[in-house]
Amino acid sequence: MRRKIVMGNWKMNSNSESAEALLKGLAEQWTGVHQAEVAVCPPYPYIALAKSVLENTNIGVGAQDVSQHEAGAYTGEIAADMLADIGCQYVLVGHSERRDYHKESSELVAKKFAAVSAKGMIPVLCVGETLEEREAGKTFDVIGSQLMKVVDHCGLAGVAKGMIAYEPVWAIGTGKTATPEMAQDVHSYIREVMGPEGDQIRIMYGGSVKPESAEGLFSQKDIDGALVGGASLSVEDFVAICRAAE
Ligand code: 13P
């Protein structure tokens, strides 16, 4: 059985005050032992705060990106070693906002995935098609190619040490959620591409997940949880999504 997981991606939102309020709210509402695994990915400056506020909770902490390099003269970059050092358990790689706005290639994403894994953290590989690609019938090609670049670099067993988040670009921040069936189709395809490792790898869905849409998505057999953007900035909404995963 794959344990359900809900992760909050705060993106470039919050400040010390709102981050602390959000973290304290989560710590108060998500107490004790749960079936579902829960984690938040705040912006870098608030990761230490998250570690400290969530210290005695069952809420993990992750980062939203990482450098592919080990260390050295890379101004502005953050190494996997540093994230591991401050207690991050997860790191997102290849989010569509990075692929799009920062022109990150799948080759670069594969190197980041490997860098995270090498430091003992769980890489979360984000994949997803644009609306144009979906309408052209290229969804599986796009997802397959994004995934295979990482498989080529890390091997199937290497990818299976991490997790995957299917995030259709057209559903991110738009209020348009893929229907549970649409998401299920892609998740099932990802398992097929993962071959012998397909059964064990956890695949989250992301893209306008809200408390109202979570249960329908989680009832699909290949959807193992959610990567939540906007709704993860509200304690009530995020906790409601976490509860739906129980
Ligand atoms: P929204 O939930 O705001 O659509 O964002 C999804 C996402 O990109 C999570 O990584």
Side-chain angles (χ1 to χ4, degrees):
M1 268 304 281
R2 299 178 300 261
R3 189 179 181 204
K4 287 260 195 310
I5 172 153
V6 178
M7 294 184 76
N9 173 9
W10 293 8
K11 307 193 179 182
M12 199 172 75
N13 293 295
S14 72
N15 55 33
S16 313
E17 201 182 326
S18 63
E20 188 168 345
L22 183 48
L23 292 163
K24 284 187 169 161
L26 294 177
E28 272 162 30
Q29 297 213 19
W30 194 252
T31 51
V33 179
H34 290 271
Q35 266 173 287
E37 192 172 323
V38 169
V40 292
C41 302
Y44 294 127
Y46 308 121
I47 290 176
L49 176 69
K51 284 301 295 178
S52 124
V53 175
L54 301 176
E55 195 181 355
N56 294 312
T57 70
N58 280 317
I59 304 173
V61 177
Q64 299 173 18
D65 187 34
V66 66
S67 170
Q68 74 273 31
H69 301 294
E70 279 265 325
Y74 300 101
T75 302
E77 296 275 26
I78 308 279
D81 225 5
M82 299 170 183
L83 295 175
D85 185 36
I86 60 168
C88 277
Q89 294 129 293
Y90 314 85
V91 182
L92 309 182
V93 297
H95 192 282
S96 63
E97 286 149 17
R98 305 273 337 154
R99 292 182 193 259
D100 186 9
Y101 308 147
H102 301 272
K103 302 291 164 254
E104 291 196 3
S105 65
S106 286
E107 286 80 4
L108 174 65
V109 172
K111 287 181 188 161
K112 291 184 172 193
F113 188 101
V116 172
S117 210
K119 299 301 171 187
M121 296 173 291
I122 299 176
V124 179
L125 170 67
C126 305
V127 297
E129 82 288 2
T130 62
L131 185 59
E132 207 179 13
E133 289 162 343
R134 173 162 282 266
E135 285 176 347
K138 291 186 186 152
T139 299
F140 287 176
D141 288 351
V142 171
I143 306 296
S145 132
Q146 290 173 343
L147 184 53
M148 283 315 292
K149 282 286 181 338
V150 188
V151 171
D152 289 347
H153 195 74
C154 306
L156 279 176
V159 175
K161 287 191 187 138
M163 296 190 283
I164 294 174
Y166 167 55
E167 299 205 304
V169 178
W170 50 270
I172 296 178
T174 58
K176 288 185 199 155
T177 321
T179 63
E181 294 74 22
M182 279 160 99
Q184 165 60 30
D185 270 359
V186 178
H187 283 227
S188 145
Y189 171 72
I190 292 171
R191 285 201 203 289
E192 201 179 300
V193 175
M194 287 299 296
E197 307 289 349
D199 258 358
Q200 68 163 83
I201 191 157
R202 288 188 290 175
I203 311 173
M204 288 175 268
Y205 167 81
S208 297
V209 176
K210 300 281 179 286
E212 309 82 61
S213 54
E215 211 160 289
L217 289 160
F218 298 159
S219 66
Q220 297 294 318
K221 84 175 186 8
D222 291 309
I223 301 184
D224 303 317
L227 182 54
V228 184
S232 73
L233 299 170
S234 146
V235 175
E236 284 67 35
D237 286 356
F238 189 62
V239 168
I241 295 169
C242 297
R243 293 215 171 97
E246 293 267 78

